[in-house]
Amino acid sequence: MDQKEQDDVLALLQGKEKGDEEEEVLPVPTTVPMSKGTREKAHTICQIVKKVAGDSHEWFSFLLASKADPLFIARDLLIVKGTKAERGHVVVEGEHVAKASAEVQELNALLGTDFYIIGWLHSHGGGPVGHSFFDDGNFVQVLNSVRLNTEQAVPTRLDLIESRITKHVEDGKIILTGQDVEDAVIRYVLPKEEAFQALLIKYGIEKGKRIAVEREAFLADVLELVQLETAEPKIVGFGYSVVVNDRGEEPYALVGVVEEKVITGKGTVKKYAYKTNVEPREVEKDVTADPQTLEAMVRERIQFPPPTKSTIVVLSSRKRRRRGHGRWFGRWLGDSESYKNGVMSPEDIEAHTHSNSSAPSGGTTTTQTRQKRSQDILFLNEIACIFAYHAAAYLTAFESPAVRYSEYLDRVFEMLDQTHSKGLMETIAHVGELYSDEAGVFVPRFEPYKLKRIQDNITDRLAGDPKHPEIRFMLAFIHGDKNAALEQYIPILYKLGRDKEVEPLARIPPPEGKGK
């Protein structure tokens, strides 16, 4: 037997035979099974929230499953009392999950049910379904708790010796070791000679005679024929995230998974998610979506932000129109006429940057450095202000067929208004990929009185490099076709913004039918 054959035989002790590995199957659903009543309830609440608030808002709830159900079907949703609806994005805190858990316990005691929280469901209002960075952060908050409701131990292969295995006999033991210092040492204590002979006789080997067999060599050969597999428990828990909207689009669904290896990964938790679909299920005693009952529940449990300054809404042939934009916008325009006629070109920016970067031959004093920094801030602020002016004009003309992305840009501005010091690029990453307007459903939230705060939040993180895509985007939007600028630069800024952020929940491909 050559060295390779010996290695292959010895590898059996560690379960390393090639082509003989079993693929690990986790006890995690491949889809999000949801009762038809729960899904209908979610869509009905979307319309009620829009009716009560007078506008599209985001809201969130917790999905409930039964402890007796091995299929982990989401059978109802719970809105915690005091939940806040938002025009931009919702925020789930740990206290929300704790309050929901307490309410579920009360519900179980009252109705004799055995519900537990298995995930969350939220609405994107009038926007498209999907998962933003904000949603990922909320989902992680939910997962930290609900994984404890679904966790199971999964035996996971544990290679005690990862390098080439060698064996030797020492002090009455057969010892297996590897070549690396990290490898384990496996010791098999040899039986006494009398016990060894009794074992041979028991199985009819030269019965009645003392067997002249070398004990160590014989047992070592037996071990080579026995495949030894070692495993450690891996604790696996999961939860659901479902996104709906006012349009009644097919829900967006994620299954989030949390893993922790008990031996090799103690204290190190792995979190990831995969995109899947909501699978409608027929269940006994399904929930109903009675509009009157749900409206009373929404009014009791959800807190809405105060209305915006313009509240009169009329219908148009293409989109819903909020009256009052022209009046507010015209008032703001009067203060910004100088910016309208003083738009800088890319060449102006290059010249400005070059002139500011050229230091006097005698060196740069502290005063000159401060002056340059002040000039740069004013310069960036002017670009942001001009861009804000043109974006405001674009949003005000949202009814025009030539304006294709007003709803997306409106959502970016709404989030910039709510999120201090986030920056344009990072906000685009949170809003998501570019999408076009849908006729008849868009109600703009933009109000020109917000522009100063939006402008400041753009300037706060604006890169000074004139070649940066963020500045190039604003210049292209100012000087050229605005739809084309959005189509060209939003994908670039979205990717750059995503790359800058720390991914709160890694994505993996779906398990393709494996699991529950």
Side-chain angles (χ1 to χ4, degrees):
M1 182 182 292
D2 61 23
Q3 184 62 51
K4 182 179 182 304
E5 290 173 327
Q6 292 181 34
D7 290 345
D8 290 342
V9 172
L10 286 169
L12 289 173
L13 294 169
Q14 300 303 307
K16 291 183 180 178
E17 185 179 29
K18 292 182 179 179
D20 195 34
E21 294 183 5
E22 292 185 3
E23 188 170 351
E24 182 180 77
V25 179
L26 298 180
V28 177
T30 56
T31 63
V32 174
M34 180 181 292
S35 75
K36 291 183 177 180
T38 302
R39 179 168 172 172
E40 180 62 27
K41 183 176 180 178
H43 287 303
T44 303
I45 292 175
C46 283
Q47 301 309 314
I48 292 172
V49 166
K50 186 175 180 180
K51 171 188 171 183
V52 173
D55 197 354
S56 294
H57 281 64
E58 290 199 8
W59 57 273
F60 70 91
S61 63
F62 295 96
L63 292 169
L64 308 182
S66 169
K67 294 179 181 177
D69 180 13
L71 300 178
F72 305 107
I73 299 173
R75 295 170 177 266
D76 202 352
L77 59 85
L78 171 70
I79 298 178
V80 175
K81 191 171 183 179
T83 295
K84 291 183 178 180
E86 300 288 354
R87 296 187 181 91
H89 63 89
V90 294
V91 177
V92 180
E93 305 284 359
E95 64 180 283
H96 292 131
V97 185
K99 287 178 66 176
S101 298
E103 287 196 25
V104 170
Q105 295 302 318
E106 294 174 4
L107 187 68
N108 287 339
L110 180 65
L111 303 178
T113 52
D114 63 347
F115 285 148
Y116 66 93
I117 300 174
I118 198 169
W120 77 310
L121 178 149
H122 77 287
S123 167
H124 273 184
V129 296
H131 231 253
S132 68
F133 268 27
F134 287 116
D135 297 336
D136 278 6
N138 288 332
F139 191 19
V140 168
Q141 186 72 254
V142 174
L143 265 181
N144 288 337
S145 296
V146 304
R147 70 181 179 103
L148 303 176
N149 298 331
T150 59
E151 67 180 12
Q152 299 180 51
V154 179
T156 304
R157 175 171 154 173
L158 175 63
D159 292 329
L160 299 176
I161 301 177
E162 296 185 341
S163 62
R164 186 170 67 85
I165 300 173
T166 60
K167 68 172 183 177
H168 65 279
V169 178
E170 181 181 321
D171 297 331
K173 299 172 185 154
I174 300 175
I175 300 176
L176 303 181
T177 59
Q179 306 300 308
D180 297 335
V181 294
E182 295 88 357
D183 286 331
V185 176
I186 303 175
R187 298 186 180 94
Y188 295 95
V189 180
L190 293 170
K192 294 182 178 180
E193 181 65 27
E194 293 76 12
F196 175 64
Q197 290 293 328
L199 181 63
L200 295 178
I201 293 171
K202 177 180 178 181
Y203 287 97
I205 302 176
E206 296 291 338
K207 186 174 183 181
K209 296 182 181 179
R210 187 166 184 82
I211 312 303
V213 176
E214 185 179 345
R215 180 182 50 167
E216 291 86 353
F218 178 80
L219 291 175
D221 289 341
V222 169
L223 286 175
E224 289 180 357
L225 298 176
V226 178
Q227 181 171 338
L228 174 66
E229 294 182 350
T230 54
E232 67 171 316
K234 177 166 66 176
I235 308 302
V236 179
F238 65 90
Y240 303 146
S241 180
V242 177
V243 187
V244 296
N245 65 8
D246 298 350
R247 306 176 185 180
E249 293 178 343
E250 190 67 21
Y252 181 95
L254 290 179
V255 175
V257 182
V258 182
E259 298 180 0
E260 182 179 6
K261 292 182 178 180
V262 174
I263 299 174
T264 60
K266 189 67 175 176
T268 302
V269 175
K270 178 182 178 183
K271 299 177 183 178
Y272 58 88
Y274 54 85
K275 185 179 180 300
T276 181
N277 60 283
V278 171
E279 183 182 358
R281 295 290 188 93
E282 297 275 2
V283 299
E284 294 183 2
K285 299 180 180 179
D286 201 357
V287 296
T288 58
D290 177 62
Q292 289 185 340
T293 303
L294 291 179
E295 181 172 339
M297 182 269 294
V298 166
R299 292 181 181 276
E300 176 196 4
R301 290 182 165 265
I302 298 181
Q303 297 178 2
F304 294 92
T308 56
K309 292 190 176 182
S310 298
T311 55
I312 304 173
V313 178
V314 296
L315 292 175
S316 71
S317 58
R318 179 168 179 259
K319 302 173 184 176
R320 289 193 175 186
R321 179 172 178 267
R322 186 186 293 277
R323 187 178 298 162
H325 280 73
R327 181 177 66 256
W328 275 94
F329 182 70
R331 198 174 303 162
W332 180 81
L333 176 63
D335 298 333
S336 307
E337 197 66 33
S338 59
Y339 289 112
K340 177 183 176 184
N341 298 321
V343 176
M344 285 188 170
S345 68
E347 292 74 20
D348 295 333
I349 290 182
E350 295 283 4
H352 170 91
T353 307
H354 178 73
S355 63
N356 273 355
S357 62
S358 300
S361 56
T364 304
T365 65
T366 302
T367 301
Q368 290 171 333
T369 301
R370 289 174 179 170
Q371 289 174 346
K372 177 184 178 302
R373 188 179 299 121
S374 177
Q375 290 172 357
D376 287 343
I377 293 173
L378 290 172
F379 168 68
L380 296 176
N381 191 63
E382 185 173 0
I383 294 177
C385 185
I386 297 169
F387 167 74
Y389 160 77
H390 282 265
Y394 183 85
L395 291 175
T396 303
F398 70 94
E399 288 186 292
S400 168
V403 174
R404 297 202 295 270
Y405 305 106
S406 59
E407 184 172 0
Y408 180 88
L409 190 57
D410 180 74
R411 192 171 176 86
V412 170
F413 269 30
E414 181 71 17
M415 198 165 288
L416 275 168
D417 178 55
Q418 291 185 358
T419 311
H420 298 292
S421 303
K422 176 57 67 176
L424 179 62
M425 184 171 68
E426 290 85 349
T427 302
I428 288 171
H430 283 268
V431 171
E433 298 178 1
L434 184 68
Y435 59 89
S436 59
D437 297 340
E438 184 175 345
V441 298
F442 172 50
V443 180
R445 298 187 177 96
F446 165 72
E447 298 284 2
Y449 70 86
K450 302 176 180 178
L451 278 170
K452 181 62 169 67
R453 182 162 56 243
I454 292 171
Q455 172 194 327
D456 291 343
N457 285 343
I458 292 174
T459 306
D460 187 66
R461 297 261 184 109
L462 198 58
D465 180 7
K467 295 182 180 180
H468 192 280
E470 203 168 16
I471 292 180
R472 289 298 183 190
F473 162 59
M474 289 193 289
L475 291 173
F477 190 90
I478 292 168
H479 287 279
D481 183 286
K482 292 173 173 38
N483 291 321
L486 289 162
E487 291 167 354
Q488 178 182 355
Y489 284 98
I490 292 299
I492 297 172
L493 295 174
Y494 173 75
K495 184 179 185 306
L496 288 174
R498 297 280 295 192
D499 291 344
K500 281 186 67 176
E501 298 278 357
V502 177
E503 194 78 49
L505 195 61
R507 296 291 194 273
I508 67 166
E512 299 181 357
K514 300 181 179 64
K516 291 278 185 181

